[in-house]
């Protein structure tokens, strides 16, 4: 077992939120009275990420995703807990760590607005002290993989969001960091641009072994890229493991799609216990059932009495539904 | 070191891209220069034009008006709140994740910008003044060269003051109040509106000791020969040292707040 490249132990961050007072008098009282409440943004979070893995870090807004990323980059000091990233304690050695990580925030750019993309990228060569030959090689590679050539000389302010994001990805990678943090890298992009970014990340991970930690609200990102997901809600990890296992855990509700040879009359019929009619379009019927109560072959044979079944399929639970259920469960656990 | 040179070069380039803005700016500075110079001409005429006022002759004051209009953008008296906006938008997080010194990063960029503004805004504005009014030339080449050095130091002093005002963004939610105050202080105490010698007595003595003087007044004094060269440049140097130390301390305090309390 190799050492994990990112490791967090009992990572906790609490903030002191000053309570807002109403009106002039309240504002003046606020100056002397330091009233407020303690908010725990990240609560006892632990995980290990081995080198070369792509991990999806997901959770609803305000769950603590960005706070965690900030602590892993060193821009935020935790209230307690330990972190090691590429052998560094991030907030103590932020500058050294900066050489080993690439960071992309989907919501903002690190490129210079008024300069051609190529100028912004070249600046990074001096920032990270990349030898010129190495830099030229990396830039050529990024230009090729991300197809930057058509807009390399265009000022960044004139780029489309998708082009800008490709530029930002190149900017995060020119110093060959072994670790890449991506905070919502596909936000606001159209489908074509999203697909392109995903393909690039998958290829990057495969060919260079870059470890990627990404947060996203787009679960297609997760399905395309991540074998493993860490789900955080209210600052706590509610799931850490393979995506498939998560699906299995929450896939008790399934759907069986049946094609009858004639339109069956199900509206008035009494269905077998443990099943329910989801919808019907002519001869196509979708039956919802609980895996723990009925097995699929059982449902199939029971439905056989309504007519001859020509075809059937079982729908996997959609990841959106799984995540939704997971949040609901964690909400119940907190309540 | 190379990084900071490259930063300055790109900021220089970036500033040059706005040609329309430069033309409009020269026009505005020209109009303001003509207006303010005319007011001072009228003032000297009613006063008896041969006399100096508080040690300033008519031609010296008119020259100051045009030096001020020309330096306005170079020293960027007010209107630069990029760091504050980056603090408040959270963009500073991305910047602090880069392996460079934050203060030097912005100083380099500002220096490149200042050089571009000196060339495209300062020189043409000064030429307008020289054509329309009687403007004094420096009395020696040494004075002229010292003036350029003094302008460079004025840029550094001005940058430090602006940078520190920007850092208020770590503590204050709305920077507009600070921006308004900063502009007022800069205008009066730098000598932008009138020579500091025209201020009433207690204020004049205080203003002459403050760093704002080093931004506008000192380059004028060096140009016009009103202070020995070493005194003018020494005064600026002293404030540069004090301000760089203060700006860095303030930055460290703000950064500590950021990494503990979050953005």
């Amino acid at each position: 077992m190799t050492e994990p490249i990112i490791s967090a132990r009992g990572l906790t961050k609490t903030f002191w939120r000053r309570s807002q007072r109403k009106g002039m008098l309240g504002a003046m009282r606020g100056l002397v009275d330091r009233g407020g409440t303690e908010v725990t943004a990240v609560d006892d979070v632990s995980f290990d990420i081995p080198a070369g893995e792509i991990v999806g870090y997901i959770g609803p807004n305000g769950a603590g995703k960005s706070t965690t990323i900030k602590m892993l980059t060193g821009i935020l000091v935790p209230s307690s807990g330990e972190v090691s990233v590429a052998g560094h304690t991030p907030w103590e050695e932020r500058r050294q760590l900066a050489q080993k990580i690439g960071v992309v925030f989907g919501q903002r750019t690190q490129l210079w607005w008024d300069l051609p993309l190529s100028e912004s990228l070249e600046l990074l060569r001096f920032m990270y002290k990349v030898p010129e030959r190495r830099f030229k090689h990396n830039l050529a590679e990024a230009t090729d993989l991300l197809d930057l050539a058509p807009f390399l000389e265009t000022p960044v302010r004139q780029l489309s969001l998708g082009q800008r994001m490709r530029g930002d990805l190149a900017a995060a990678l020119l110093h060959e960091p072994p670790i890449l943090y991506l905070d919502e890298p596909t936000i606001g992009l159209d489908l074509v641009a999203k697909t392109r970014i995903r393909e690039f990340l998958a290829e990057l991970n495969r060919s260079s072994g870059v470890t990627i930690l990404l947060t996203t609200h787009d679960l297609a990102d997760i399905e395309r890229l991540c074998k493993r997901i860490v789900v955080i809600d209210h600052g706590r990890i509610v799931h850490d493991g393979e995506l498939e296992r998560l699906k299995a855990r929450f896939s008790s509700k399934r759907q069986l799609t049946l094609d009858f040879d004639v339109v069956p009359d199900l509206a008035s019929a009494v269905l077998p216990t443990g099943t329910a009619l989801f919808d019907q379009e002519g001869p196509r019927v979708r039956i919802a059932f609980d895996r723990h109560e009925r097995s699929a072959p059982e449902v199939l044979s029971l439905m056989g009495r309504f007519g001859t079944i020509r075809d059937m399929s079982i729908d996997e639970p959609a990841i959106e539904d799984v995540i939704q259920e997971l949040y609901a469960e964690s909400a119940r656990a907190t309540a | 070191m190379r990084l900071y040179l490259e930063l300055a070069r790109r900021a220089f380039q970036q500033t040059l891209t706005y040609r329309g803005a430069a033309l409009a700016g020269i026009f505005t500075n020209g109009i303001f220069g003509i207006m303010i110079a005319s007011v001072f001409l009228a003032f000297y005429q009613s006063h008896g034009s041969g006399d100096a006022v508080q040690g300033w002759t008519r031609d010296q004051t008119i020259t100051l008006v045009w030096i001020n209009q020309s330096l306005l953008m170079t020293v960027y008296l007010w209107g630069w709140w990029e760091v504050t906006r980056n603090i408040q938008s959270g963009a500073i997080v991305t910047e602090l994740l880069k392996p460079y010194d934050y203060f030097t990063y912005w100083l380099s960029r500002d220096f490149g910008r200042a050089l571009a503004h000196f060339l495209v805004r300062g020189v043409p504005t000064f030429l307008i003044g020289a054509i329309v009014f009687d403007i004094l030339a420096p009395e020696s080449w040494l004075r002229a060269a010292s003036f350029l050095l003094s302008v460079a130091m004025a840029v550094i002093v001005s940058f430090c003051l602006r940078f520190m005002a920007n850092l208020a963004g770590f503590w204050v939610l709305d920077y507009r109040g600070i921006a308004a105050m900063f502009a007022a202080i800069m205008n009066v105490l730098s000598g932008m509106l009138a020579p500091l010698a025209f201020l009433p007595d207690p204020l004049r003595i205080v203003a002459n000791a403050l760093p704002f003087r080093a931004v506008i007044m000192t380059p004028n004094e060096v140009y016009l020969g009103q202070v020995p060269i070493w005194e003018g440049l020494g005064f600026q140097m002293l404030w540069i040292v004090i301000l760089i130390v203060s700006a860095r301390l303030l930055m460290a305090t703000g950064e500590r707040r950021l990494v503990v309390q979050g953005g």
Side-chain angles (χ1 to χ4, degrees):
Chain A
M1 187 68 197
T2 49
E3 280 279 290
I5 194 162
I6 300 173
S7 127
R9 285 283 164 277
L11 197 56
T12 300
K13 182 69 192 178
T14 56
F15 293 107
W16 188 254
R17 290 263 178 277
R18 297 276 299 274
S19 48
Q20 293 286 322
R21 286 191 179 72
K22 287 201 179 91
M24 194 61 179
L25 246 141
M28 279 167 72
R29 265 184 52 203
L31 288 176
V32 276
D33 173 15
R34 301 191 67 81
T37 43
E38 207 173 52
V39 178
T40 306
V42 172
D43 192 359
D44 194 24
V45 161
S46 302
F47 53 76
D48 284 321
I49 300 177
E53 213 171 64
I54 304 185
V55 175
Y57 195 54
I58 63 174
N61 287 327
K65 298 188 300 286
S66 293
T67 306
T68 310
I69 297 257
K70 281 184 184 171
M71 290 191 279
L72 295 182
T73 55
I75 195 66
L76 197 60
V77 182
S79 310
S80 64
E82 281 167 38
V83 174
S84 165
V85 178
H88 299 280
T89 302
W91 53 94
E92 282 168 9
E93 300 162 294
R94 196 174 75 216
R95 291 267 204 106
Q96 290 97 304
L97 183 62
Q99 289 283 351
K100 297 183 183 173
I101 60 173
V103 187
V104 175
F105 293 100
Q107 312 253 38
R108 54 178 58 106
T109 183
Q110 52 172 319
L111 306 165
W112 279 28
W113 212 235
D114 296 313
L115 288 181
L117 176 60
S118 60
E119 291 280 321
S120 271
L121 295 180
E122 190 170 88
L123 210 47
L124 294 163
R125 182 185 131 206
F126 304 106
M127 242 172 238
Y128 290 97
K129 300 186 173 67
V130 185
E132 193 172 353
R133 275 191 55 198
R134 200 78 217 130
F135 179 83
K136 282 203 169 128
H137 172 263
N138 293 350
L139 182 59
E141 203 173 72
T143 304
D144 186 37
L145 283 173
L146 288 161
D147 195 18
L148 304 178
F151 51 89
L152 212 45
E153 299 311 319
T154 309
V156 171
R157 73 183 125 82
Q158 291 172 18
L159 298 183
S160 74
L161 193 57
Q163 291 172 330
R164 207 213 71 204
M165 182 51 63
R166 273 140 72 194
D168 262 305
L169 272 173
L173 292 166
L174 290 173
H175 59 291
E176 300 171 59
I179 299 168
L180 188 58
Y181 295 117
L182 304 169
D183 196 2
E184 303 193 31
T186 57
I187 194 164
L189 301 186
D190 64 41
L191 213 59
V192 177
K194 277 181 179 177
T195 308
R196 178 170 227 149
I197 300 277
R198 284 173 200 144
E199 274 167 8
F200 169 75
L201 292 174
E203 169 62 20
L204 177 79
N205 171 260
R206 200 185 53 75
S207 64
S208 320
V210 173
T211 308
I212 299 175
L213 180 67
L214 89 148
T215 77
T216 184
H217 284 294
D218 188 333
L219 297 169
D221 288 348
I222 301 283
E223 281 200 284
R224 173 73 179 84
L225 291 169
C226 315
K227 273 212 192 76
R228 174 182 170 194
I229 60 172
V230 176
V231 185
I232 183 173
D233 194 19
H234 293 98
R236 287 179 160 275
I237 290 183
V238 292
H239 172 87
D240 179 357
E242 283 179 12
L243 183 56
E244 291 309 317
R245 286 240 300 276
L246 181 66
K247 277 186 179 174
R249 189 172 142 203
F250 282 96
S251 62
S252 63
K253 290 195 177 48
R254 293 206 163 180
Q255 265 180 27
L256 192 61
T257 304
L258 304 169
D259 288 332
F260 288 89
D261 61 351
V262 289
V263 179
D265 180 24
L266 294 177
S268 55
V270 181
L271 291 173
T273 48
T275 68
L277 179 64
F278 187 77
D279 64 4
Q280 178 177 4
E281 288 169 53
R284 170 163 293 186
V285 173
R286 284 198 282 176
I287 301 291
F289 67 100
D290 192 310
R291 192 166 61 104
H292 299 309
E293 285 181 53
R294 296 268 184 204
S295 72
E298 234 184 312
V299 178
L300 186 64
S301 75
L302 284 167
M303 291 305 292
R305 64 183 157 98
F306 294 103
T308 309
I309 296 165
R310 295 161 54 97
D311 199 5
M312 61 146 291
S313 64
I314 300 178
D315 297 333
E316 280 289 304
I319 181 172
E320 281 85 353
D321 302 333
V322 170
I323 300 292
Q324 207 106 65
E325 271 193 68
L326 189 57
Y327 293 163
E329 191 196 72
S330 93
R332 279 195 298 275
T334 332
Chain B
M1 195 57 219
R2 178 72 192 274
L3 167 68
Y4 300 109
L5 280 174
E6 294 289 334
L7 283 167
R9 190 173 74 75
R10 276 168 182 77
F12 180 81
Q13 250 177 285
Q14 191 177 19
T15 309
L16 291 186
T17 52
Y18 294 106
R19 295 206 189 95
L23 273 177
I26 293 164
F27 178 77
T28 312
N29 295 149
I31 296 288
F32 267 94
I34 290 169
M35 228 169 65
I36 299 169
S38 303
V39 170
F40 275 118
L41 279 183
F43 163 72
Y44 272 98
Q45 205 151 26
S46 71
H47 195 267
S49 59
D51 305 343
V53 177
Q54 306 286 354
W56 283 73
T57 68
R58 186 193 66 186
D59 290 349
Q60 283 176 327
T61 304
I62 298 301
T63 307
L64 169 129
V65 168
W66 285 98
I67 289 178
N68 286 3
Q69 285 302 313
S70 308
L71 289 187
L72 186 60
M73 278 312 284
T74 305
V75 297
Y76 223 162
L77 275 193
W78 11 255
W80 181 72
W81 296 97
E82 216 167 330
V83 171
T84 295
R85 282 195 291 265
N86 285 357
I87 292 169
Q88 298 190 337
S89 73
I92 193 167
V93 168
T94 332
E95 296 177 312
L96 290 177
L97 286 175
K98 292 277 164 42
Y100 52 62
D101 180 74
Y102 196 66
F103 175 82
T104 319
Y105 170 81
W106 279 108
L107 176 61
S108 314
R109 286 183 67 164
D110 198 59
F111 217 82
R113 175 208 58 74
L115 185 60
H117 274 145
F118 183 80
L119 296 175
V120 298
R121 294 285 300 269
V123 172
T125 303
F126 197 72
L127 285 178
I128 294 176
I131 292 164
V132 183
F133 291 86
D134 289 329
I135 280 182
L136 301 169
E139 66 187 18
S140 69
W141 284 107
L142 181 65
R143 283 258 167 212
S146 306
F147 167 70
L148 294 181
L149 185 59
S150 176
V151 170
M153 298 219 281
V155 171
I156 300 176
V157 173
S158 154
F159 171 77
C160 290
L161 293 170
R162 282 179 283 130
F163 187 77
M164 282 197 276
N166 267 269
L167 293 184
F170 278 120
W171 294 273
V172 179
L173 277 180
D174 187 355
Y175 69 91
R176 282 174 299 185
I178 289 181
M181 247 163 58
F182 187 76
I185 290 171
M186 269 294 213
N187 264 333
V188 175
L189 296 185
S190 69
M192 183 66 211
L193 293 179
L196 290 185
F198 288 13
L199 290 174
D201 221 358
L203 186 58
R204 182 181 58 89
I205 294 163
V206 174
N208 270 319
L210 293 177
F212 306 101
R213 174 188 174 198
V215 177
I216 285 287
M217 215 51 215
T218 310
N220 273 289
E221 290 163 344
V222 170
Y223 182 102
L224 293 165
Q226 276 161 332
V227 291
I229 290 173
W230 64 266
E231 194 188 304
L233 300 184
F235 177 73
Q236 288 180 307
M237 201 60 212
L238 182 72
W239 273 113
I240 286 175
V241 173
I242 295 172
L243 290 175
I244 287 182
V245 172
S246 322
R248 285 183 170 284
L249 283 176
L250 197 61
M251 178 70 204
T253 314
E255 205 179 309
R256 215 171 304 129
R257 185 189 156 89
L258 181 78
V259 299
V260 173
Q261 301 194 7

